């Protein structure tokens, strides 16, 4: 009886425990932005009970059994499970998953789910941009996207950046086509905080853009408001300072004086410094020009929406001074952006994005012969900044110093340049649901900008240098540039049966760009002062025959028709095709029209019945693509002649200035073609914790549009305003492999991490150059030397062409036994560089030049790491470039200039050195271009380290905040390289000559402290 009673009691209490239910309420937020997620699906696991969050992101679910699990799901976010133990109110923060297969990838004319994309496409999220905190958008692509290389032309504030996708394929414009919210735009004017995502199209997927997609396409989507969301107000800002990331190892005053004494003694001259004691270290000219420079950024935004409309507005201000010149090299950017989308009716949707940008940049000559850095490197440390009268010290104008080296601080003080740009760009779009499955879209994108530039040449003497100004002048310009794009297309999207999904898009695009420029110069500026530097105040004009004004105007257009077709069978067999017909006024009537086809295909192998999904391999997709894309990025009106040149004529015995033929025309110009092939694979493994993407690509660029082809001087091409014609005269091929892997996991509920690595290999080869010589030349080295860079069949683009060295001559016997080097211009002595006789003709001359270096990296890599522990977050981004060379051309070869300290290991007698030649004031052949001046510019750069802390909701909600995060960040942390110059990653962007270091303004190291707050 007792056992029955106990059994009854146990069953009673058990049933009471099992039947106990509670109510759970709360709010669902985005973990990174803190904004509410309206419409989040919430259900009790293994039941049919479920609800959704309301317009405020709130929810209440009643009758939840204790011990059960509530599941929260939202498109584009990771599912979250919560085990119920009591009645309570909770805050759920869902984490966005950039790797989700249902993520929407914006391709410009259309969009696709990531699992359906069949091309080589990479997406950069706003979260990555926020981690990197780039000053300019382009910097966010370096090391984060395989196959993409971003290089800075200068570390000066506001300087341009160069983007190359999958190598250098043309000798002309190499930058990708940029689309911002559906219209042609410019990355450099964007505020990085305004960007929602960046999509990079690297293969034939870009063929839908025909004439503009040959160099790849970058599609930018800016942030917009979310519907059914309360207004969210945000502020983000940072302040910090910059410093130079590197200084060259130059000789101090004592080292310089001793070396100069030796040089003069070897040249048979008297010693310039008979007593070097007391010189000490002298003036460190790099310390004099480099300084810590401030920078500050502020951005304010608000966004929200109702069920019929969404809006977003932001305004930002950035100010950055230069690490050289302070206010002489500063940059200011103001932006204002408005995004609005609304349902005008059940069938008509409206969307607009508008961006206003104001730029103000001051600059100086920061690279090359005569630049501030060039003078700081070459001015001897024995000279002081100021003379005894307090004036800037003059660098002597003796042969040993030359006539171009001047006091760099005096140069900065006498430099006056200002540039202002006001730009409005945006797009307006209407979507009309004509019938079921058929939508019509009309979209217009536009750019309009006005810029003002002014420079002032102050009357100044540097003691007989080429930079002496005997007459003050002011030059001003006003430039107006405009463009618009009108797209009209229809999209049919339908599913037949259960397995056949079709989307077809057909349409037309009209593009027009037009503008004008006006330039003028006035002389004799009042008071020889920047304050009076204005054309209206200048009292003088140029000399006889000098034109003080200049103007131009242009008007170019494109007309295109396109079709884009997507087919998916059962979600696993994917096929897309594109056909585009382009017309460009940059070609003559016979060659204006071209047709560019492409296709891509994919197979989701993991959806096959024979493929058993396991934890080890969750998703597998194979991809392939091929397409032909066009390029018309050449000067305007290249097919027609014009009288834009200048000439002098003798009329009635008098010399008269007049016009002449301009750049020679080529009426047979035709489209440059890029033939792109790609095969790839996408993998997800181990419960989708590991994702892998790998591609093999090959691109052949035919009918290269090559300008400045050498022609006979009797045609007048060397006269002012004239030039050589542009012709189709070459072919280039790029082949390589891309591999990217990401691993994301949780160590515990409060600790998680993400690691990413990508690597790209490039094999670049010029296939042909069809001109009279079989090669093109470019770049410059030293003064008066032969061109150092070539484009030639069988070689990489822009390879270095010079002499191979074979050590140092140790004695006269070695010189006598070696082929004569006298043809190079000077006699040879022990301690001089020995060059190889490659053609074995017994003489060293220009016929012995060969490939001595390649500026194109063999391998580029990126490594990214993110770690979160409770409220702390740590991120780090790095990238590397391996196998690229650079010519060292920032040293003047005159006898009295300063030098890098590697010359301390010079040859001073037999057996002392076999790598660095002797020093002497006498003429030698040691300064001709050879591999002695070529260095391995491989590097590994820690690009960014950021540490942040997000305050808990319980604390910040009391003061009306939904998010508060403080962070500190260091950009350009450190570069591991053997290269002696300022920056192994710098380039002027030229395909032929970009690998020559003329003394690049170093990329600064930046320290910032910032805040992100949502209200």
């Amino acid at each position: 009886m007792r056992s029955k009673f106990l059994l009854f009691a146990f069953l009673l209490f058990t049933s009471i425990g099992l039947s106990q239910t509670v109510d759970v309420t709360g709010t669902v937020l985005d973990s990174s932005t803190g904004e509410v997620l309206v419409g989040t699906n919430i259900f009790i696991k293994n039941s049919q009970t479920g609800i959704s969050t309301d317009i405020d992101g709130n929810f209440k679910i009643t009758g939840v059994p204790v011990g059960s699990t509530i599941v929260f799901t939202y498109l584009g976010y990771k599912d979250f499970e919560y085990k119920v133990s009591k009645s309570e109110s909770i805050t759920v923060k869902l984490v966005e998953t950039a790797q989700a297969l249902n993520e929407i990838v914006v391709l410009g004319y259309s969009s696709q789910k990531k699992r359906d994309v069949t091309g080589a496409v990479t997406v950069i999220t706003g979260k990555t941009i926020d981690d990197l905190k780039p000053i300019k958008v382009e910097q966010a692509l370096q090391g984060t996207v395989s196959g993409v290389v971003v290089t800075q032309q200068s570390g000066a504030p506001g300087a341009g950046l160069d983007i190359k996708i999958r190598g250098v394929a043309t000798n002309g414009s190499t930058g990708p086509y940029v689309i911002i919210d559906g219209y042609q735009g410019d990355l450099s004017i964007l505020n990085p905080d305004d960007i929602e995502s960046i999509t990079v199209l690297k293969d034939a997927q870009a063929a839908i853009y025909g004439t503009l997609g040959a160099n790849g396409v970058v599609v930018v989507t800016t942030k917009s408001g979310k519907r059914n969301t309360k207004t969210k107000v945000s502020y983000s800002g940072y302040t910090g300072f910059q410093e130079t990331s590197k200084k060259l190892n130059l000789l101090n005053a004592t080292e310089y004086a001793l070396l100069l004494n030796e040089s003069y003694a070897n040249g048979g001259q008297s010693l310039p410094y008979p007593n070097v004691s007391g010189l000490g270290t002298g003036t460190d000219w790099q310390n004099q020009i480099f300084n810590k420079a401030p920078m500050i950024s502020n951005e304010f935004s608000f966004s929200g929406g109702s069920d019929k409309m969404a809006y977003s507005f932001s305004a930002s201000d950035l100010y950055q001074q230069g690490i050289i010149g302070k206010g002489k090299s500063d940059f200011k950017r103001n932006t204002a952006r408005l995004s609005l989308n609304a349902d005008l009716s059940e069938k008509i949707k409206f969307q607009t994005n508008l961006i206003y940008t104001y730029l103000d940049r001051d600059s100086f000559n920061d690279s090359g012969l005569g630049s501030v850095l060039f003078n700081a490197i070459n001015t001897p440390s024995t000279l002081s900044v100021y003379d005894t009268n307090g004036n800037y010290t003059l660098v002597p104008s003796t042969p040993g110093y030359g006539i171009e080296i001047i006091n760099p601080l005096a140069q900065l003080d006498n430099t006056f340049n200002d540039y202002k740009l006001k730009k409005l760009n945006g797009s307006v779009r209407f979507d009309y649901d004509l019938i079921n499955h058929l939508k019509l879209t009309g979209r217009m994108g536009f750019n309009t900008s006005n810029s003002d530039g002014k420079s002032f040449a102050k009357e100044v003497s540097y003691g007989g240098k080429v930079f002496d100004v005997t007459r003050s002048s002011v030059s001003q310009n006003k430039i107006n540039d405009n463009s618009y794009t009108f797209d009209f297309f229809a999209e049919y999207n339908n599913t037949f049966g259960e397995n056949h999904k079709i989307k077809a898009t057909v349409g037309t695009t009209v593009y027009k760009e037009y503008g004008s420029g006006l330039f003028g110069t006035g002389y004799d500026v009042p008071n020889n002062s920047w304050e009076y530097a204005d054309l209206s105040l200048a009292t003088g004009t140029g000399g006889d025959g000098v034109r003080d004004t200049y103007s131009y105007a242009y008007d170019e257009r494109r007309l295109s028709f396109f079709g884009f077709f997507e087919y998916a069978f059962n979600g696993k067999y994917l096929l897309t095709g594109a056909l585009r017909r382009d017309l460009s006024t940059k070609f003559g009537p016979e060659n204006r029209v071209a047709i560019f086809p492409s296709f891509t295909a994919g197979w989701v192998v993991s959806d096959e019945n024979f493929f058993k999904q396991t934890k080890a391999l969750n998703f597998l997709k194979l991809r392939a693509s091929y397409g032909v894309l066009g390029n018309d990025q050449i000067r305007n009106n290249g097919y027609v002649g014009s009288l834009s040149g200048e000439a002098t004529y003798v009329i009635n015995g008098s010399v008269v200035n007049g016009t002449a033929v301009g750049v020679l025309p080529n009426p047979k110009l035709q489209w440059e073609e890029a033939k792109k092939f790609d095969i790839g694979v996408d993998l997800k493994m181990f419960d989708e914790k590991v994702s892998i993407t790998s591609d093999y690509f090959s691109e052949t660029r035919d009918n290269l549009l090559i300008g400045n082809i050498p022609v006979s001087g009797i045609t007048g091409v060397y006269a002012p305003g004239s030039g050589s014609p542009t012709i189709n005269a070459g072919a280039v091929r790029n082949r390589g492999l891309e591999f990217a892997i990401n691993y994301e996991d949780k160590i515990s509920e409060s600790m998680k991490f993400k690691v990413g690595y990508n690597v790209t290999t490039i094999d670049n080869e010029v296939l042909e150059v069809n001109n009279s010589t079989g090669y093109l030349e470019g770049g410059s080295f030293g003064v008066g030397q032969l061109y150092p860079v070539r484009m030639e069949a069988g070689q990489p683009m822009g390879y270095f062409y010079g002499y191979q060295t074979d050590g140092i001559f140790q004695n006269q016997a070695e010189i006598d036994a070696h082929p004569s080097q006298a043809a190079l211009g000077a006699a040879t002595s022990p301690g001089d560089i020995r060059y190889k006789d490659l053609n074995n003709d017994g003489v060293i001359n220009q016929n012995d030049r060969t490939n001595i270096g390649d500026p194109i990296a063999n391998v580029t890599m990126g490594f990214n790491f993110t770690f979160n522990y409770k409220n702390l977050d740590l991120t780090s981004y790095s990238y590397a470039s391996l196998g690229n060379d650079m010519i060292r051309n920032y040293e003047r070869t005159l006898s009295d200039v300063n030098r890098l300290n590697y010359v301390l290991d010079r040859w001073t007698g037999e057996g002392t050195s076999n790598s660095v030649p002797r020093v002497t004031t006498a003429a030698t052949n040691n300064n001709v271009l050879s591999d002695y001046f070529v260095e391995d510019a491989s590097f590994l750069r820690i690009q960014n380290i950021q540490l942040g802390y997000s305050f808990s909701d319980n604390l910040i909600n009391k003061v009306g905040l939904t998010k508060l995060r403080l962070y500190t960040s260091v950009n350009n942390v450190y570069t591991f390289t053997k290269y002696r110059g300022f920056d192994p990653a710098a380039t002027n962007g030229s395909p032929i000559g970009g690998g020559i270091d003329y003394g690049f303004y170093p990329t600064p190291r930046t320290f910032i402290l910032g805040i992100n707050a949502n209200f």
Side-chain angles (χ1 to χ4, degrees):
M1 184 70 181
R2 183 181 179 185
S3 61
K4 292 181 179 180
F5 175 78
L6 291 174
L7 178 61
F8 174 77
F10 173 76
L11 293 174
L12 177 62
F13 285 111
T14 301
S15 62
I16 293 174
L18 290 176
S19 63
Q20 182 182 0
T21 60
V22 296
D23 297 340
V24 179
T25 61
T27 306
V28 181
L29 306 174
D30 181 298
S31 64
S32 61
T33 65
E35 65 183 28
V36 298
L37 295 179
V38 180
T40 301
N41 295 315
I42 307 169
F43 61 91
I44 301 173
K45 197 171 185 178
N46 300 322
S47 78
Q48 300 299 316
T49 303
I51 60 170
S52 298
T53 54
D54 61 19
I55 192 172
D56 296 320
N58 298 324
F59 69 92
K60 181 178 181 180
I61 184 167
T62 61
V64 182
V66 172
S68 61
T69 299
I70 301 178
V71 181
F72 298 79
T73 65
Y74 193 85
L75 182 62
Y77 290 77
K78 293 182 179 179
D79 293 352
F80 177 77
E81 295 185 357
Y82 180 79
K83 191 170 185 179
V84 176
S85 60
K86 60 182 179 179
S87 181
E88 58 184 330
S89 178
I90 61 175
T91 299
V92 176
K93 294 185 176 181
L94 296 185
V95 177
E96 189 174 6
T97 170
Q99 303 300 324
L101 291 175
N102 57 7
E103 175 191 0
I104 301 300
V105 177
V106 179
L107 301 176
Y109 288 107
S110 65
S111 59
Q112 290 179 309
K113 286 186 178 180
K114 190 169 185 177
R115 65 165 288 138
D116 296 337
V117 172
T118 50
V121 175
T122 302
V123 179
I124 300 298
T125 66
K127 176 64 168 59
T128 298
I129 298 173
D130 191 52
D131 289 342
L132 285 168
K133 282 290 178 291
I135 295 173
K136 305 191 78 172
V137 175
E138 299 96 318
Q139 295 167 325
L141 300 176
Q142 181 62 284
T144 59
V145 182
S146 60
V148 176
V149 175
V150 180
T151 52
Q152 290 199 227
Q153 299 174 10
S154 168
L161 290 96
D162 183 62
I163 302 176
K164 292 182 175 64
I165 298 177
R166 289 184 168 179
V168 182
T170 177
N171 68 306
S173 174
T174 59
Y177 177 48
V178 176
I179 302 168
I180 303 173
D181 296 325
Y183 65 94
Q184 181 173 345
D186 180 5
L187 284 179
S188 66
I189 57 95
L190 287 178
N191 172 20
D193 287 336
D194 285 336
I195 294 178
E196 182 71 28
S197 68
I198 301 175
T199 303
V200 181
L201 312 181
K202 296 180 281 189
D203 66 343
Q205 188 87 53
I208 189 64
Y209 296 103
T211 175
L212 299 168
N215 296 329
V217 177
V218 176
V219 182
V220 177
T221 302
T222 60
K223 293 178 180 178
S224 61
K226 295 184 179 180
R227 300 197 178 199
N228 298 314
T229 304
K230 291 197 302 183
T231 299
K232 181 189 74 173
V233 180
S234 300
Y235 167 80
S236 64
Y238 61 81
T239 185
F241 68 91
Q242 309 152 91
E243 64 181 19
T244 184
S245 54
K246 186 173 182 180
K247 294 179 183 177
L248 302 189
N249 297 315
L250 300 172
L251 301 179
N252 63 35
T254 302
E255 292 169 334
Y256 166 81
L258 290 170
L259 188 79
L260 200 62
N261 283 343
E262 181 182 325
S263 179
Y264 270 65
N266 289 339
Q269 297 177 275
S270 59
L271 303 185
Y273 292 96
N275 182 13
V276 300
S277 63
L279 288 177
T281 58
T283 302
D284 187 328
W285 289 99
Q286 292 183 101
N287 284 343
Q288 292 294 327
I289 66 167
F290 285 125
N291 52 261
K292 284 184 168 59
M295 62 184 302
I296 186 169
S297 174
N298 295 282
E299 185 196 18
F300 166 83
S301 66
F302 64 85
S303 62
S306 63
D307 59 340
K308 296 291 186 180
M309 182 182 69
Y311 56 87
S312 175
F313 175 82
S314 68
S316 70
D317 173 79
L318 169 72
Y319 178 71
Q320 178 188 15
Q321 278 194 1
I323 58 174
I324 302 176
K326 297 184 179 179
K328 295 280 186 174
S329 172
D330 64 359
F331 176 67
K332 184 178 181 64
R333 182 184 66 212
N334 299 129
T335 65
R337 184 184 60 87
L338 173 66
S339 173
L340 179 67
N341 63 78
D343 294 343
L344 302 184
S345 69
E346 291 186 358
K347 288 183 171 289
I348 301 177
K349 294 179 176 60
F350 166 80
Q351 181 178 346
T352 185
N353 292 277
L354 302 174
I355 302 174
Y356 172 78
T357 305
Y358 171 78
L359 303 180
D360 186 350
R361 185 188 180 202
D362 297 328
S363 61
F364 56 84
N365 184 2
D366 60 25
S367 177
L369 185 70
S371 69
V372 172
L373 269 175
F374 173 88
N375 288 320
I377 294 169
N378 290 282
T379 301
S381 49
T382 53
L383 295 178
S384 60
V385 177
Y386 302 99
D387 60 22
T388 56
N389 296 321
N391 299 318
Y392 287 113
T393 297
L394 298 178
V395 178
S397 294
T398 60
Y401 289 103
I403 58 173
E404 73 275 355
I405 298 174
I406 61 176
N407 186 322
L409 292 180
Q411 181 181 13
L412 278 172
D413 199 29
N414 294 314
T415 297
F416 303 91
N417 292 297
D418 185 48
Y419 172 80
K420 293 180 173 65
L421 170 71
K422 299 175 183 177
K423 184 167 187 174
L424 179 65
N425 53 292
S427 64
V428 178
R429 171 174 175 155
F430 289 90
D431 294 314
Y432 177 55
D433 293 328
L434 183 64
I435 57 176
N436 286 342
H437 311 298
L438 181 62
K439 178 177 70 175
L440 302 180
T441 297
R443 180 176 64 196
M444 182 173 182
F446 65 91
N447 294 272
T448 180
S449 66
N450 290 281
S451 65
D452 298 285
K454 181 165 69 172
S455 63
F456 169 56
K458 182 179 180 180
E459 184 178 333
V460 63
S461 174
Y462 295 106
K465 302 288 186 175
V466 293
F467 300 107
D468 290 352
V469 178
T470 59
R471 192 180 180 197
S472 65
S473 65
V474 57
S475 296
Q476 292 181 247
N477 64 75
K478 289 185 177 292
I479 298 174
N480 172 251
D481 294 307
N482 306 275
S483 67
Y484 69 79
T485 305
F486 177 72
D487 300 315
F488 182 76
F489 52 94
E491 180 184 287
Y492 178 77
N493 194 344
N494 199 3
T495 300
F496 297 92
E498 295 182 357
N499 299 322
H500 303 277
K501 183 179 180 180
I502 293 176
K503 182 162 72 172
T505 305
V506 294
T508 182
T509 293
V510 177
Y511 176 77
K512 177 178 179 178
E513 58 178 349
Y514 59 98
S516 60
L518 178 62
F519 303 79
T521 300
Y523 294 83
D524 304 326
V525 175
N527 300 320
N528 194 31
S529 170
W530 171 248
E531 286 72 20
Y532 294 89
D534 193 272
L535 284 176
S536 63
L537 300 177
T539 59
T541 60
D544 292 340
V546 175
R547 186 168 62 179
D548 296 337
T549 60
Y550 170 73
S551 65
Y552 70 84
Y554 66 95
D555 186 337
E556 295 295 329
R557 308 175 192 190
R558 299 188 195 97
L559 173 64
S560 303
F561 298 93
F562 60 88
F564 189 69
F565 177 80
E566 300 175 39
Y567 171 74
F569 174 70
N570 204 24
K572 57 186 176 182
Y573 304 117
L574 312 169
L575 179 67
T576 66
L579 187 67
R580 180 158 175 143
R581 178 186 184 273
D582 283 315
L583 180 152
S584 173
T585 57
K586 292 192 175 183
F587 304 104
E590 296 180 0
N591 298 308
R592 282 183 176 167
V593 176
I595 296 176
F596 303 109
S598 68
F599 78 91
T600 65
W603 177 25
V604 183
V605 182
S606 54
D607 281 359
E608 296 288 356
N609 292 331
F610 63 78
F611 187 97
K612 294 183 179 180
Q613 191 178 46
T614 66
K615 286 187 177 181
L617 187 57
N618 314 122
F619 178 79
L620 171 61
K621 178 173 66 177
L622 303 179
R623 297 177 281 104
S625 67
Y626 179 80
V628 181
L629 296 83
N631 180 28
D632 70 345
Q633 299 303 292
I634 56 174
R635 67 181 183 85
N636 299 329
N637 305 314
Y639 67 93
V640 66
S642 63
L643 293 176
S644 58
E646 300 177 19
T648 55
Y649 301 89
V650 179
I651 301 177
N652 296 327
S654 300
V655 177
V656 179
N657 295 317
T659 60
V661 65
V663 178
L664 290 187
N666 177 12
K668 295 185 178 181
L669 271 179
Q670 57 182 296
W671 292 85
E672 182 178 298
E673 292 185 340
K675 300 172 182 177
K676 296 176 180 280
F677 171 73
D678 184 281
I679 55 175
V681 59
D682 299 324
L683 293 168
K684 285 188 175 294
M685 306 170 66
F686 307 111
D687 291 330
E688 299 190 5
K689 294 176 182 178
V690 176
S691 59
I692 296 175
T693 298
S694 185
D695 288 84
Y696 166 80
F697 63 89
S698 177
E699 175 186 344
T700 300
R701 191 72 65 98
D702 288 330
N703 293 323
L704 286 186
L705 291 164
I706 299 177
N708 300 316
I709 291 292
V711 296
S712 172
I714 64 175
T715 60
V717 296
Y718 300 109
S722 186
S724 300
T726 298
I727 66 173
N728 298 96
V732 176
R733 182 180 62 207
N734 281 293
R735 295 182 294 190
L737 295 170
E738 291 178 359
F739 176 81
I741 182 170
N742 291 281
Y743 176 52
E744 185 174 5
D745 201 359
K746 275 186 176 182
I747 300 174
S748 67
E749 287 299 319
S750 57
M751 187 182 299
K752 58 184 178 179
F753 70 93
K754 180 179 179 181
V755 179
Y757 171 76
N758 65 77
V759 60
T760 304
T761 67
I762 292 284
D763 177 22
N764 173 271
E765 182 182 358
V766 176
L767 301 180
E768 71 179 334
V769 177
N770 292 325
N771 65 352
S772 59
T773 61
Y775 58 82
L776 294 175
E777 297 179 306
S780 64
F781 178 79
V783 177
Q785 293 204 36
L786 299 171
Y787 287 110
V789 179
R790 283 190 172 187
M791 173 184 175
E792 185 176 9
Q795 301 286 350
M797 175 77 79
Y799 78 98
F800 307 146
Y801 192 65
Y803 298 94
Q804 282 188 1
T805 62
D806 190 22
I808 303 293
F809 286 114
Q810 299 297 320
N811 50 54
Q812 187 61 42
E814 291 184 0
I815 297 174
D816 295 339
H818 192 267
S820 173
Q821 298 185 168
L824 300 182
T828 303
S829 298
D832 287 340
I833 296 176
R834 175 167 46 203
Y835 301 104
K836 291 183 178 181
D837 181 16
L838 296 183
N839 61 359
N840 296 314
D841 64 355
V843 177
I844 306 297
N845 56 27
Q846 59 183 280
N847 296 325
D848 292 300
R849 290 180 296 161
T850 187
N851 184 339
I852 57 172
D854 178 5
I856 300 175
N858 298 321
V859 178
T860 57
M861 295 184 290
F863 179 77
N864 312 314
F865 174 75
T866 301
F867 177 79
N868 295 84
Y869 176 68
K870 294 185 177 179
N871 293 353
L872 282 171
D873 58 88
L874 174 67
T875 60
S876 175
Y877 289 79
S878 303
Y879 65 93
S881 177
L882 305 177
N884 50 301
D885 300 314
M886 190 172 287
I887 294 178
R888 188 177 71 251
N889 192 32
Y890 45 79
E891 300 166 289
R892 191 69 170 94
T893 55
L894 296 169
S895 62
D896 290 13
V897 299
N898 203 3
R899 301 171 185 268
L900 272 70
N901 66 0
Y902 70 83
V903 299
L904 297 178
D905 296 324
R906 69 203 175 279
W907 186 93
T908 57
E910 188 167 350
T912 55
S913 175
N914 199 38
S915 58
V916 182
R918 66 190 175 115
V919 293
T920 179
T921 58
T924 72
N925 297 317
N926 296 331
N927 295 320
V928 298
L929 178 62
S930 67
D931 54 25
Y932 174 70
F933 295 98
V934 176
E935 295 185 18
D936 181 3
S938 301
F939 67 90
L940 166 63
R941 174 168 292 170
I942 303 175
Q943 175 66 13
N944 172 272
I945 295 178
Q946 183 179 144
L947 177 65
Y949 180 82
S950 299
F951 289 84
S952 62
D953 295 339
N954 294 334
L955 181 61
I956 63 175
N957 289 344
K958 296 177 181 178
V959 293
L961 296 175
T962 59
K963 176 184 177 182
L964 178 61
R965 178 176 178 266
L966 298 179
Y967 66 91
T968 183
S969 176
V970 183
N971 286 325
N972 194 21
V973 181
Y974 190 80
T975 301
F976 298 90
T977 182
K978 293 182 179 180
Y979 182 64
R980 294 190 183 107
F982 283 112
D983 190 352
T987 177
N988 62 16
S990 173
I992 306 177
I996 304 175
D997 187 348
Y998 299 100
F1000 290 112
Y1001 191 128
T1003 304
R1005 180 178 295 114
T1006 305
F1007 301 85
I1008 63 176
L1009 179 65
I1011 182 174
N1012 302 120
N1014 293 345
F1015 300 88

